Each structure stands twice: as C-alpha cells, then as structure tokens.
C-alpha cells in the first residue's frame, strides 16, 4: 500500500514538472518506475502511454476551443505518427529492455536540448497551387485580439519526421512532443502556438495506437497504471494553473539537469547490463 502511495505522489510530481516544462510526464514516469521501483521496462512504457493519453486529452480540448489547434493539419500528420507508433510498439516487443533503456536515454537527452533551444515563430503565407494549398494545410489563430493567418511548408519532410516521432512514442512510451514540435516549427514553419497545441492534440491519439499493442501483449498492469494515471493527471492540472503565475525558465534549467543525470544513469545501466 505504501508503495502505491509513493508511486502516486511521484506521478503527481511527474505530471507537475512535465506540464510546467512542456516535456510531458512520460519522461519522468519511465525513470521513476524502472530506476525507483524496479518495474520492467515494457510495463513502465505501457503505464506511461496510458498517462500520456490522459494528460493530452484534457489540455487538447481547451486549445481547440481557443482556436489555436489546427485539426486538419493534426489529423493529416496523425496518419504518420499513428503508423510510426504501431511500428515502434511492435519493434519494442522484439528488443531487449536494456537496448530500449539506451535508446530512451538518448532520445531524452535530445528532447532536453530541443526544449532548451529558442523556438522560432513563423507565419508563412499560402502559396497558390502548392502541395500545402491543395491539402489545405493552412489556417488562422488568435494573437492578442488579432486573427493571424498562416500556411505550412515542407510537408513531405515534416510528414516523415512525424513518422519518426510516432515510432519513438510507441517504442519508448513518451509523447515525443519535442520531436513533433521540431517537425512543425523547424520543418513545416508553423507558428509556435499552433505547433505546440496541435502537437498536444496529436500526442493522445498516437499513444492510443501503440497502447493497444502493449495491452494485447499483457504489458499494461492496472495496479501500476491506476496510480500513475491519476497522479499524472492531478499533477498536470496543478501544473497548468501554476504555469500562469510562475516563471519557468529556472525550473526548465533545473529540470534539464535532472533529466540529463537520469539519462546518463539509464544509459550507463543499459550498457553495463548488456555486456555483463
């Protein structure tokens, strides 16, 4: 019973930190379960995917109502992320947990670097006759009372990057939000607010696709998933309210240091166990 309470409190912290920094709770849940509680990697990934679905769903509704999320772009790119997530989940079943741990640590380090970098803010016009025009990958969003228009660019590279982001989500049990935002910000040149909110909308759908495979393999354990899901959702709600009044720059730096230490430790453990 005490372990469940500790896990629940840890999940609240994961949801809180994840929402404050934009990295999502999954990047804390996996190390918490594997390093802190000794949960096998595949079961930790299953629990993390369920928590990703829960945290994404609540925030996504608010962003859609506010007019930031581009549903058409999100659903189009969801084809890529869902296909990638299914592939990632299937590959996960074939890989040694130590190998997954090493990959997880590597992607975590990349996520931290991307999160600390300055975010570009694009506002590209629609080019008549372009692929983006034909697919209607454009829209508007509110910005300080002004409605601004934008269009996507480089759809094919962005689509392929989304497939990779989906594969990492299915393989590692994280939202891969940083990779999704990278694809939409840097490659497709969407406005920052549009890319982050559309990414949040997509994360839950991507996680559902891979979670079904983990469930079918019996790697989603209710005794682990229940406290993690409730804790992460509670933490995310607290984090979203705190975000409005807190300065998160110092927190992001501190969080990045913690995640880097965890990543290096997970990589070290994975490598030493692989060769032992």
């Amino acid at each position: 019973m005490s372990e469940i309470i500790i896990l629940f409190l840890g999940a609240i912290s994961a949801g809180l930190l994840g929402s404050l920094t934009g990295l999502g709770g999954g990047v804390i849940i996996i190390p918490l379960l594997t390093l802190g509680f000794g949960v096998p990697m595949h079961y930790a990934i299953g629990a993390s995917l369920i928590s990703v679905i829960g945290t994404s769903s609540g925030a996504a509704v608010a962003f859609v109502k506010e007019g930031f999320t581009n549903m058409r772009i999100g659903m189009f790119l969801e084809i890529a992320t869902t296909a990638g997530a299914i592939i990632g989940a299937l590959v996960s079943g074939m890989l040694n947990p130590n190998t997954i741990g090493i990959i997880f640590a590597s992607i975590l380090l990349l996520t931290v670097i991307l999160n600390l970098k300055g975010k570009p803010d694009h506002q590209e016009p629609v080019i008549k006759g372009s692929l983006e025009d034909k697919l209607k990958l454009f829209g508007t969003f509110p910005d300080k009372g002004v409605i601004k228009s934008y269009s996507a660019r480089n759809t094919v590279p962005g689509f392929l990057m989304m497939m990779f982001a989906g594969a990492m989500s299915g393989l590692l049990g994280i939202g891969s939000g940083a990779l999704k935002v990278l694809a939409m910000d840097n490659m497709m040149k969407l406005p920052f607010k549009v890319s982050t909110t559309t990414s949040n909308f997509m994360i839950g759908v991507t996680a559902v696709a891979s979670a079904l495979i983990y469930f079918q393999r019996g790697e989603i354990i209710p005794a682990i998933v229940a406290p993690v899901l409730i804790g992460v959702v509670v933490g995310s709600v607290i984090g979203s309210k705190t975000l409005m009044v807190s300065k998160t720059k110092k927190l992001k730096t501190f969080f990045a240091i913690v995640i880097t230490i965890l990543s290096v430790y997970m990589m070290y453990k994975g490598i030493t166990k692989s060769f032992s």
Side-chain angles (χ1 to χ4, degrees), residues 55-272:
T55 51
S56 157
S57 304
V61 174
F63 291 139
V64 170
K65 283 182 179 177
E66 288 168 12
F68 291 112
T69 304
N70 190 309
M71 297 282 285
R72 188 177 183 89
I73 291 176
M75 293 306 291
F76 171 71
L77 295 175
E78 202 60 70
I79 299 168
T81 57
T82 302
I86 292 169
I87 293 167
L90 291 172
V91 170
S92 173
M94 306 172 195
L95 291 180
N96 182 292
N98 296 324
T99 305
I100 297 174
I102 295 167
I103 298 170
F104 179 85
S106 305
I107 293 296
L108 218 54
L109 286 171
L110 175 63
T111 299
V112 168
I113 293 166
L114 292 175
N115 196 60
L116 290 176
K117 283 180 68 178
K119 303 289 193 297
D121 201 9
H122 304 282
Q123 202 175 316
E124 303 292 332
V126 179
I127 298 174
K128 292 295 178 185
S130 64
L131 178 62
E132 292 76 24
D133 183 35
K134 290 173 183 174
L135 293 173
K136 297 184 179 177
L137 303 181
F138 50 80
T140 59
F141 71 102
D143 185 28
K144 297 175 183 175
V146 179
I147 301 297
K148 295 185 176 180
S149 59
Y150 62 88
S151 174
R153 290 281 189 276
N154 308 317
T155 297
V156 174
F159 191 88
L160 294 175
M161 183 65 187
M162 282 295 179
M163 191 169 285
F164 174 71
M168 290 301 100
S169 176
L171 178 65
L172 306 174
I174 56 178
S176 293
L179 297 176
K180 290 184 174 78
V181 172
L182 173 69
M184 288 188 273
D185 272 355
N186 296 60
M187 293 182 174
M188 299 180 73
K189 301 191 182 301
L190 293 170
F192 177 60
K193 287 181 180 178
V194 174
S195 61
T196 50
T197 53
T198 304
S199 167
N200 193 282
F201 161 73
M202 295 168 62
I203 284 171
V205 182
T206 306
V208 168
S210 42
L212 290 171
I213 294 171
Y214 283 87
F215 181 77
Q216 186 268 332
R217 288 203 300 247
E219 291 169 351
I220 292 180
I221 309 299
I224 300 172
V225 170
V228 167
L229 175 59
I230 297 168
V232 168
V233 170
V234 170
S236 297
V237 171
I238 297 169
S240 63
K241 294 185 184 301
T242 309
L243 189 62
M244 303 300 174
V245 294
S246 64
K247 294 178 180 178
T248 57
K249 193 169 183 181
K250 287 183 179 177
L251 179 63
K252 281 190 177 186
T253 306
F254 169 74
F255 193 49
I257 293 168
V258 173
I259 291 295
T260 302
I261 293 168
L262 283 174
S263 302
V264 171
Y265 183 60
M266 285 189 77
M267 196 176 290
Y268 169 75
K269 282 196 75 174
I271 292 170
T272 51

Side-chain angles (χ1 to χ4, degrees), residues 4-37:
I4 291 176
I5 293 170
I6 295 168
L7 181 56
F8 174 68
L9 295 174
I12 290 177
S13 303
L16 175 63
L17 287 170
S19 63
L20 283 175
T21 58
L23 288 176
V27 297
I28 291 289
I29 289 296
I30 303 280
L32 175 70
L33 290 175
T34 55
L35 301 178
F37 289 87

